[in-house]
Amino acid sequence: MVKQSATFIIAGLQRLLAIMVIAITTYCVANYPYASIWLSLILIAYALCLLIAPSIWLLAIPTILPLLNLAPWSGRFFLEEFDFFIWVTLASSLWQGDFIASHRPRFSFTPSLLIGLFLTTHSIAMLRGLFPLAAIDANAFSSYYSQYNGLRVGKSLFWAALLIPAMLRAFSTNQVRARHYLTLGISIGLIGTGIAVLWERGVFIDLVYGDTIYQKLRNLTDFSTDYRITALFSEMHTGGEAVDGYIALTWPFALAGLVTAVSKIEMGIEAMALSAGLYSALVTFSRGTYAAIGVSLVAFAVLYAVGKTRREVSSKQSWHVPIILLATVAICSILYVKGGYYSLIAAMAIFGCTILLGFINGLRHGVRILLMALVCLGGFALMMRGLLTSKWVDNGFVESLAISLPMSVGLLASGIFIGIQTRKFFSLREVGISLTFIITVIVLCVPALSGSYMKSRFTTTHDDFGSRINHWQHAMALMDSSWDTLFFGMGLGVFPRTYLWGKESEKSSMATLNEEGGNTSLRLSNSMDLAIGQRVHLEAEQVYRLSLDYKSNASIGTLDISICRRNIIVPWDSDCISTSQAIKPGKWQHFEWELNMGQIGDGVQIGRRPLALRFTHFYYQPQGDYNLPLNFIEIDNIQLMDRYGWNHVTNGQFEHGLDNWFPTSDHSHLPLHIKNLWVNIFFEQGLFGLFAFLALTLYALIIGIRIARRGDIFAMTLVSSAMGFFSVGLIGTLYDVPRVIFLFFLLLFTLLAQDPALMNQISKRKPVNISPDELPKMRNSFIQPPANLKQIMF
């Protein structure tokens, strides 16, 4: 009776806490500076969905994570709209009673100890970064140089840890459904990211306004540009590897989802997600991302090879398959360089069709030969067309014939051989999925890796890596020499301000607010790169008048003002208008600029990147951006008036801090990022934090590998995802990207939840309920791997 009363009281307290969380969320959303009404409606709908289906958050959160990012409009990157969705999810978990110890599943002793250990070192590092507490002023939650930056960096681990009870309940109630939700949510988010990447690269504009096939596919197939995508990750405004880490974490789920799909709709979704993930990875033009994709793919393949259930395919029978595929990739590379996409598509058509024709067993011998001859002839003709009409290489008829004829025959023979071999062991569906993956990889990778920009980046790998090593050494040299710093670190989020004041000859740039005499103004330091801006909506062919007041303490440099089409960083130069004002030191001065938006304004073309009004205190320093003398210009009373007297700038007097203003740094990124996950953890959390992180991740990987060896593809997916993430971490900080590091820890805790000892513990408390409709999914789910995955990997 006493126990029941205590449980009732605890449940009541949890529901009261849930109401408090909802109340805090409501207050924060009501004071959000952008789209607060729409955000409120979405959050209400999400909360109702959680009441009906509590585990739906496993689908919703991974979908929302890469797609809903309002920081470029709101100006807020300490407390984001994504945090509100986490709070609503946490409130739902409290309301459901997930934190009642007697009713909920929980981790066993070892994972609980390791999670608790890392949470301890993480918390100590957060407190070291926060104390001594600074005054809460206009800059407290709007600058990376604030002492409260540790809250921004540290929150993600706490959010993931607080969702552990909800995650364990979802997996203990119905493991199949929980796995399906998580995989589908990640895949939908990956599709959305791919769509954002296509928009960012101008693909949709080309499709609508391009006249010829070359114009319609210009940006889609342009792998020579030096523009590197950011998708919708506003964290990329100061560089970093947010999008790289996200892609490395998520793309294995699209591959696993494609393999285990039980319906054509699911197969279509996962195929789109896989294509979107691979294409997005390629147009990051990041060597670290390419390496991460390779590492996660190899990890997946090795785990499957160890845990495969079909023993019929011996190494003696399959050793030739990777050799043939590598030869096919080499042929496709030559054909693409010589003949472009026509020749590449012709090669893939011959190779893919002949594999299928060799595989299908019911065809008559004569029909099979006739169809293969037609495929080879058609592919040969298309290949010749590509070689003869290439815009980049002048191929004569004899040279084109000498290239296309043997390669067509070679691809035909290779396809027939692989088709006949796979007929012995695999189904048509398995071969179709394998071909889809292989052709997608080749069609995307060959052009990207053959582009001039990536060739130039590969040639500078040695020098760039040397620069990174020097930066890591410089970061560790900035650490205090005391024993407590060695063991507990400098504190979360302190690197930017430590670097700023670390050496007199190396100063980074900043945008802060200055309060003087009851007036607030923007203080912008001199820079070759840093700017602060606001997204605006301006009509095409209309005249506007920009006015502002400024004051400077130096006579060097200029105030550069521009309105550009840009996503996060690096605009299209042709989509900009700009002006410069030479700085005059002294008292406040007034400046006005009359401009005509021309074709850059809204209303001319749909689907373009947004307009951004930006201000830069520009000062050129030939020795580099890190050796600038630190001077400031103050800006206030910004107005952008149209012909009707309407002001298109919000918060131009900075009365609401930096709301609606968003800083960007197109090229100078080292002052804000250590650029290595492991060095960053050591810098912020010391040896104890590094040890705790290594212990937790190694234990989770060991658990995952042990489960994957039994043939569990979901565990294989989680392990390969983590391996890809760690690969990106070799050249990227990642720990300072809240949404991405949250997803990493959520997947890490999910991997721990696959521990058989944990699942046995749960099964004694509450049986897993599987409805009859879900039995087909059980047979084809992640629990048992399809036998075709080896062919997909190799």
Side-chain angles (χ1 to χ4, degrees), residues 278-562:
L278 291 176
Y279 182 81
S280 300
L282 289 171
V283 293
T284 61
F285 298 117
S286 171
R287 292 156 294 191
T289 306
Y290 294 175
I293 297 294
V295 168
S296 57
L297 185 62
V298 170
F300 208 138
V302 170
L303 288 173
Y304 179 77
V306 173
K308 64 184 178 180
T309 55
R310 288 195 176 187
R311 303 295 181 180
E312 302 96 306
V313 185
S314 67
S315 58
K316 293 182 179 180
Q317 295 170 310
S318 60
W319 65 268
H320 47 265
V321 174
I323 296 177
I324 292 176
L325 291 179
L326 288 175
T328 302
V329 171
I331 291 173
C332 290
S333 300
I334 295 172
L335 288 173
Y336 175 77
V337 171
K338 292 285 188 178
Y341 268 102
Y342 279 122
S343 298
L344 178 62
I345 292 172
M348 288 293 90
I350 295 174
F351 186 66
C353 290
T354 49
I355 286 179
L356 290 176
L357 290 172
F359 176 84
I360 299 174
N361 201 18
L363 289 177
R364 294 182 179 180
H365 188 63
V367 174
R368 193 192 309 273
I369 293 176
L370 177 61
L371 291 175
M372 287 182 177
L374 291 174
V375 167
C376 186
L377 184 61
F380 169 74
L382 185 60
M383 198 179 297
M384 283 289 292
R385 185 187 188 283
L387 291 167
L388 293 173
T389 61
S390 174
K391 296 169 59 178
W392 314 112
V393 181
D394 186 15
N395 301 306
F397 180 81
V398 176
E399 182 182 3
S400 300
L401 184 65
I403 293 173
S404 58
L405 185 60
M407 289 190 175
S408 298
V409 175
L411 290 168
L412 177 70
S414 300
I416 294 172
F417 183 79
I418 292 179
I420 293 174
Q421 291 296 314
T422 54
R423 185 196 305 171
K424 304 174 183 177
F425 310 107
F426 303 105
S427 67
L428 181 61
R429 178 182 182 274
E430 294 169 341
V431 172
I433 293 176
S434 301
L435 276 178
T436 299
F437 178 75
I438 292 170
I439 291 175
T440 300
V441 170
I442 292 177
V443 169
L444 291 177
C445 290
V446 167
L449 298 179
S450 301
S452 58
Y453 181 57
M454 274 314 301
K455 287 181 179 178
S456 66
R457 284 185 59 77
F458 282 128
T459 59
T460 61
T461 299
H462 182 269
D463 294 337
D464 292 344
F465 188 67
S467 299
R468 290 290 175 92
I469 292 177
N470 292 334
H471 182 60
W472 303 337
Q473 292 173 340
H474 174 60
M476 289 187 287
L478 293 174
M479 298 178 67
D480 296 338
S481 57
S482 59
W483 68 268
D484 56 325
T485 298
L486 175 64
F487 289 106
F488 297 105
M490 294 285 289
L492 291 185
V494 305
F495 177 74
R497 68 176 183 268
T498 304
Y499 193 101
L500 176 65
W501 305 115
K503 288 187 177 180
E504 193 63 33
S505 61
E506 295 192 6
K507 297 299 183 188
S508 48
S509 304
M510 67 180 83
T512 59
L513 293 173
N514 182 48
E515 295 179 335
E516 184 177 347
N519 180 61
T520 303
S521 60
L522 172 68
R523 174 175 282 186
L524 194 61
S525 71
N526 53 322
S527 173
M528 293 165 55
D529 188 57
L530 177 71
I532 189 164
Q534 181 175 135
R535 292 191 173 180
V536 293
H537 298 284
L538 306 176
E539 296 182 29
E541 306 296 350
Q542 298 299 316
V543 176
Y544 295 85
R545 181 178 296 274
L546 175 74
S547 63
L548 57 87
D549 298 323
Y550 75 92
K551 180 178 70 172
S552 176
N553 66 342
S555 59
I556 57 175
T558 60
L559 173 60
D560 287 4
I561 308 171
S562 65

